[in-house]
Amino acid sequence: MASSSKKTNSVGRRGFLRGAAAGAAALAAKPPEAANAQPPQQNVIANATATTPTQAALNVDVGNGRPIPGINGIALSPGSDYMVDVLKQFDFEYVVANPGTSFAGLHESLINYNNNTNPEFLTACHEESAVSMAHGYAKIEGKPMLVLLHADVGIQHASMAIFNAYADRVPIYMIAGNWGHAVQAHNAQDMALMIRDMIKWDDEPRSLAGFADAAQKAYTIAMMPPMGPTLLVVDEDLQEMTNKEVNLRVPKFKPIQPPSGDLGSVREAAKLLVNAENPVIITGRSARTANGMTLLVELAELLQAPVSGGDRMNFPLTHPLSGLGIPGAQADVTLALEVNNAPLSRNGGRTINISSTILSVKNNYQDVGDRYAAADIDMAADAEATLPALIEECRKLVTSDRKRAFEERGKKLAEAHRQAKLKDIELAAIGWDASPVSLNRLYGELWPFIKNEDWSMVSWDGFMGGWPRRLWACDKHYHYIGAQGAGGMGYGAGAAVGAALANKKHGRISINVQTDGDLNYAPAVLWTAAHHKAPLLTIMHNNRAYHQEVMRLQRQATSMNRGADRIHIGTKLWNPEIDYASIAKGYGMYAEGPISDPKDLAAAYKRGIERVKNGEPALIDVVTQPR
Amino acid sequence: MNMPRISHFAVALILGAVIARAQTPAGEASRGKDLYDKKYLCSACHGFSGQNGVGARLVPMKLTQAGFMAYVRHPHDTPTGMPPYTAKVMPDQELADIYAYIKSLPDSVKKAKDIPVLNDILNNQK
Ligand SMILES: Cc1ncc(C[n+]2csc(CCOP(=O)(O)OP(=O)(O)O)c2C)c(N)n1
């Protein structure tokens, strides 16, 4: 046990169970029907008075018909307290769950024994929301939330979100209960089986000592690039029964550093890069942490090479080296950093690939694993961990001649970057006055309200012309967190709430531009945002459709020469139109809308931002152009 | 084969001239709006005001009605991604109505410098 004082406390605080057990005993003393009579519950305190109900109701009251563990129904130092001691080492800020008996032991230990602090309990209304929240949170904080799942049913609800996180290389730390006494169908011989393809590792420890070991492994594996979800399956009894294991300690946790590329390859890569005439850097998920961005800036500036790619922030988009490079120039050396499918060189250029994806590959989901394209130099390593050595080796090779050439290149790149930005801003003027509201205006109008704040864009801009990244000054790792990972819709709303809760302690305001289709998978996460006071401004991109599928079906119907007049069937969210402001208000959140006239945006944004700055969520429903 | 590259506008103009002789019914913008917005969901790719979306900008509409109709019937050879609409699935009269509607849409485009919010962003680039 970690500390004897906790042991004492745990007994003390479990005193509240006595009352419940006493009531249960009284009920057990008077079974309603003789035919259904069952022996009184064991291990309960006698001599209490009450009347009543059915055996079934009684069973639920005392813990689903199982004997209360421990002496007189009171577990002394339950296993779940020890589990919490072990979990404490991972410094979880939040635990998120939809409640379930299979982890009631852990749930109770977290809120009472651990006093509901670090981690603080977040109530999710759907397991998909729980895991999506953890997904968004990790993309801001670079570390996982703890997620508790109720046995096989909780895992099944969570599975879509788990798959997104797996494909997005995001660490999620999950614990599911098993072998509960409530509903037999919730137990499974192999609980992790149904998601094993989309998690990095799972285990079902048989003892508390085994739990400590597995818990550390689960954390280490989740955080080791390529990061991903891990699952521990924990027996309900192991959580709830008195811990009788002798010599149980909480083993010390020491994080393992991600692997850096081998020095030989790093030196070869440096030689190619320094001698290249037109090197380009392409990023995928290279910045695991804020430092990953800083390092990449250092390398790009040293080489005066353009940086592009990556759906989250790997490089400041305001930087003169951000962009595709000098128009018309062919890359002679391409450096790919954590790009899933590293680009094969075109026109005889050389490629350097630094990627951890090869270190953990599953062979079912095709677009997730590394579709391996051999590069001239290939490092099975973490890009962020490799950058310091690569910068160092490049620096050694830069002569004054090369430096002059780099400076010349840098000027051209800066001009190309500037021209691309100017073009984007000019394009943003198109349809500025359109009603319903154009997406360029939706984002453009918001900028004055956030530019002097510490802000974080916590939604994907893929169905919205990429406008925030084109118009706003994105230069911090939390300025944009990217897409779902596996393209599974329903991620957006949950990820935004999780990211906003991560941003909260930093005093940041979070912006979620929310597509309507995505919200409707699990909208009750809005209540979670209200309940936990997430400082999150949600602006609906309400195009009243699953619009991506409208366009897809339109193409299908016309290519069949059958016309487009029925494609609204199954794709449009109209008749009746959904009132998102009412939904949000119903979940306890400040809300306005629908707004179709762009002239009304600024005033509504102002009111919404005020709410968020006061530490609460707000939603503004904006009726938009389809794309 | 060394075929000269012809722009889709040129194709549309040539086809338009051929079709023009056969049929160019007069369109009516009020009917066209419903067809554009709802029935055929042209708005899906071109936006409700013909300016925003993944499709081409439709305003100001530079094609003649005949050229427009020819293009909608035969967009294949162009790289725009526009699917074809034959007369079977979109009668000439309806296509003419849609054309009339597009022609009726406001076609002025502001400059970024004339929009204070964008002008501010613009100034930060300089
Ligand atoms: C779980 C899941 N179900 C269905 C889809 C297919 N799908 C792809 S895009 C899309 C439309 C989503 O609608 P919305 O979020 O409103 O975005 P819009 O396309 O309207 O901009 C759907 C249903 C998916 N990708 N994931």
Side-chain angles (χ1 to χ4, degrees), chain A residues 441-462:
Chain A
R441 181 138 187 196
L442 182 148
Y443 283 103
E445 285 274 359
L446 191 59
W447 180 239
F449 296 99
I450 61 169
K451 67 178 184 182
N452 296 321
E453 308 288 340
D454 191 15
W455 59 274
S456 176
M457 171 78 187
V458 293
S459 49
W460 179 52
D461 65 11

Side-chain angles (χ1 to χ4, degrees), chain A residues 426 451 547 554-555 561 625, chain B residues 40 44 48 81 86 88 112 120:
Chain A
E426 212 50 68
K451 67 178 184 182
H547 189 71
Q554 196 167 28
R555 178 162 301 282
N561 199 20
Q625 296 288 325
Chain B
Y40 295 115
F48 290 104
T86 65
K88 172 184 168 234
D120 185 41

Side-chain angles (χ1 to χ4, degrees), chain A residues 146-161:
Chain A
L146 171 60
V147 182
L148 301 180
L149 297 171
H150 177 42
D152 52 11
V153 284
I155 289 177
Q156 286 179 73
H157 260 183
S159 59
M160 174 69 257

Side-chain angles (χ1 to χ4, degrees), chain A residues 317-369:
Chain A
L317 303 181
T318 49
H319 196 288
L321 292 170
S322 166
L324 296 167
I326 302 160
Q330 289 293 343
D332 53 351
V333 175
T334 300
L335 172 64
L337 301 174
E338 300 291 351
V339 180
N340 248 20
N341 305 306
L344 269 177
S345 75
R346 294 200 191 102
N347 305 315
R350 315 286 292 275
T351 50
I352 304 160
N353 184 30
I354 309 179
S355 170
S356 60
T357 54
I358 195 81
L359 299 174
S360 175
V361 176
K362 304 230 174 182
N363 56 8
N364 192 8
Y365 301 110
Q366 294 304 302
D367 275 343
V368 178

Side-chain angles (χ1 to χ4, degrees), chain B residues 31-43:
Chain B
R31 282 200 307 254
K33 176 173 170 51
D34 217 44
L35 301 172
Y36 179 96
D37 281 357
K38 293 200 172 135
K39 183 171 179 186
Y40 295 115
L41 291 172
C42 310
S43 54

Side-chain angles (χ1 to χ4, degrees), chain A residues 281 292-309 313-325 406 409-422 424 469-476 479, chain B residues 124-125:
Chain A
I281 302 173
M293 267 179 81
T294 310
L295 289 168
L296 190 52
V297 169
E298 204 179 330
L299 179 70
E301 287 181 355
L302 177 66
L303 296 169
Q304 290 297 313
V307 182
S308 64
M313 293 296 299
N314 295 304
F315 192 77
L317 303 181
T318 49
H319 196 288
L321 292 170
S322 166
L324 296 167
F406 292 177
R409 186 162 71 210
K411 281 182 206 149
K412 289 186 197 152
L413 287 166
E415 183 53 21
H417 166 88
R418 203 177 81 89
Q419 290 303 330
K421 282 282 172 197
L422 293 178
D424 275 344
R469 284 181 288 165
R470 294 163 78 180
L471 293 178
W472 298 357
C474 297
D475 54 15
K476 306 243 166 24
H479 277 170
Chain B
N124 280 337
Q125 298 299 321

